[in-house]
Amino acid sequence: MPQVMEFKLPDLGEGLTEAEIVRWLVAVGDVVAIDQPVVEVETAKAMVEVPCPYGGVVTARFGEEGTELPVGAPLITVAVGASSLPAEAPAAQADGAEGEGAGNVPRPLIGYGEDHSRPARRRRVRPVTAAVSAPVVAAPAAPAVPVAPAAPAGPVPVISPLVRKLAKDGGVDLRALRGSGPDGLILRADVEAALAALRAPEPAPVAAASSPTAAQGERIPLKGVRGAVAEKLSRSRREIPDATCWVDADATELMAARAAMNAVGGPKISVLALLARICTAALARYPELNSTVDLAAKEIVRLPSVHLGFAAQTERGLVVPVVRDAQNRNPESLSAEFARLTELARAGKLAPADLTGGTFTLNNYGVFGVDGSTPIINHPEAAMLGVGRIIDKPWVHEGQLAVRKVVQLSLTFDHRVCDGGTAGGFLRFVADCVESPAVLLRSL
């Protein structure tokens, strides 16, 4: 006999607590294989296809496209052991049973690990009303508050422990609700509607109902990548006492060195890769800037490896992919990795691991046609090097006024990890390498 298994939104890693449904890859009644992707979700870090650890027939989907779900909320239910969906079968059942046979044992979700924190329990929800809703479970846009005339006897039709907790914290009696889900299942939207009704203020007089300012302006939800960026930058401003120093540098010799490298054939070397290699050499001299502050322990932690982040603008907003162990890479390897991560970023296919763990950031805002900036440090890092556009400017070279290719470099740093002398020394070394790339040979 088929066993209905509920698959919840897994922990996608790196402290993510919620995700938005972008696109369903299966429909109710579809047959899915173990580890087959069933939904595409957008987290604060990346777009992710979520595979299902069960094989069978999809009996219900929880949430429409555009719905934001917390980690642990139900995604779909699958009838394990069924080859097709029976016509008389209910649209959704709450059956988190531990399988008795090998085919019913939940497999670990690929890439997310297995949860051993609590044993599996078997629980079946029986309908409390005769009404059966559509198989696809969706939270209505503005649900009414369906209150039954009397509290029915028997078990309360709730699957999600999050729904139970939400009701308990808000003082909502679940027995007094009639669920809008399959077989009267009480959904989060039902509880939220009841809470909204409880908290709703008395209706204001008609004359004062319309506010001239409330209706003006477009409201854009601060969520997804934009929300994550806002939270991270706000935290950086709250916690990090940053300072910025800058210098103009003659990049003529650096551009000539790049042209010579690319003239010999092979993969092209980017300017960003050369600047990244200069950064890793500078961080070897000034390791204070490749560190983080542990507020709980009141310690500065100097990090042994340089995981170099670089700012990339995409349709989803600003993201900062990370090149691992950049100190061990040459310009050719750095160019290839920058190109690979940039392509994934623009396609929205970066994994959460590609966007976390950075220790220092290189920000090339020259691509936007600007000369300088005072960027906000990418928390919890300690510094960021900014690079402006490289343009022809009058410059005194060997005692003569000449037109040279000039760039502005700026360093924003956490004043807790070092003083101005260290920051100035770092930036001066970077500028010297830009002006005379042969200086870099001393540290290779």
Side-chain angles (χ1 to χ4, degrees), residues 202-347:
E202 292 295 328
V206 177
S210 59
S211 171
T213 58
Q216 293 179 359
E218 179 186 4
R219 292 181 175 268
I220 301 172
L222 197 59
K223 62 180 183 178
V225 172
R226 188 72 261 161
V229 169
E231 172 58 30
K232 198 162 193 177
L233 296 183
S234 298
R235 183 177 181 184
S236 179
R237 273 288 187 239
R238 289 193 305 267
E239 294 184 7
I240 299 177
D242 58 349
T244 302
C245 55
W246 57 89
V247 66
D248 289 341
D250 180 1
T252 306
E253 295 300 325
L254 180 70
M255 300 304 289
R258 174 176 177 259
M261 293 178 188
N262 291 336
V264 299
K268 299 297 183 182
I269 305 298
S270 66
V271 175
L272 188 64
L274 294 177
L275 292 169
R277 187 64 189 89
I278 292 172
C279 277
T280 58
L283 289 172
R285 286 190 169 212
Y286 300 94
E288 298 93 333
L289 295 169
N290 192 56
S291 62
T292 188
V293 175
D294 187 339
L295 288 176
K298 295 184 178 180
E299 295 174 340
I300 296 172
V301 183
R302 291 189 183 176
L303 304 168
S305 299
V306 178
H307 301 317
L308 187 68
F310 66 100
Q313 193 69 36
T314 70
E315 292 183 357
R316 299 176 64 233
L318 179 70
V319 295
V320 184
V322 177
V323 177
R324 305 287 170 184
D325 298 310
Q327 78 281 359
N328 297 330
R329 296 177 179 267
N330 58 27
E332 186 174 311
S333 173
L334 287 167
S335 290
E337 188 66 359
F338 284 140
R340 185 186 72 85
L341 291 172
T342 299
E343 183 178 353
L344 290 175
R346 289 173 178 167

Side-chain angles (χ1 to χ4, degrees), residues 87-178:
E88 299 293 328
Q93 298 182 33
D95 194 347
E98 180 177 342
E100 298 175 359
N104 291 335
V105 177
R107 289 179 48 172
L109 188 63
I110 289 179
Y112 307 119
E114 189 173 6
D115 184 6
H116 298 285
S117 60
R118 57 184 182 273
R121 295 184 302 160
R122 180 163 186 159
R123 183 175 63 187
R124 184 179 299 275
V125 174
R126 297 179 177 84
V128 295
T129 64
V132 178
S133 59
V136 180
V137 181
V145 185
V147 179
V156 179
V158 179
I159 292 178
S160 171
L162 297 176
V163 174
R164 289 184 181 275
K165 185 177 186 303
L166 183 64
K168 180 179 178 182
D169 293 345
V172 175
D173 184 5
L174 291 174
R175 295 183 181 275
L177 292 183
R178 177 175 293 124

Side-chain angles (χ1 to χ4, degrees), residues 7 9-10 12 20 22-25 35-43 46-52 75 109-112 348-352:
F7 173 47
L9 178 65
L12 299 173
E20 179 181 335
V22 175
R23 182 168 59 100
W24 283 105
L25 305 179
D35 294 331
Q36 176 181 333
V38 294
V39 65
E40 187 179 64
V41 300
E42 179 181 19
T43 70
M47 302 275 280
V48 180
E49 287 187 350
V50 181
C52 178
L75 266 181
L109 188 63
I110 289 179
Y112 307 119
K349 295 182 179 179
L350 284 170

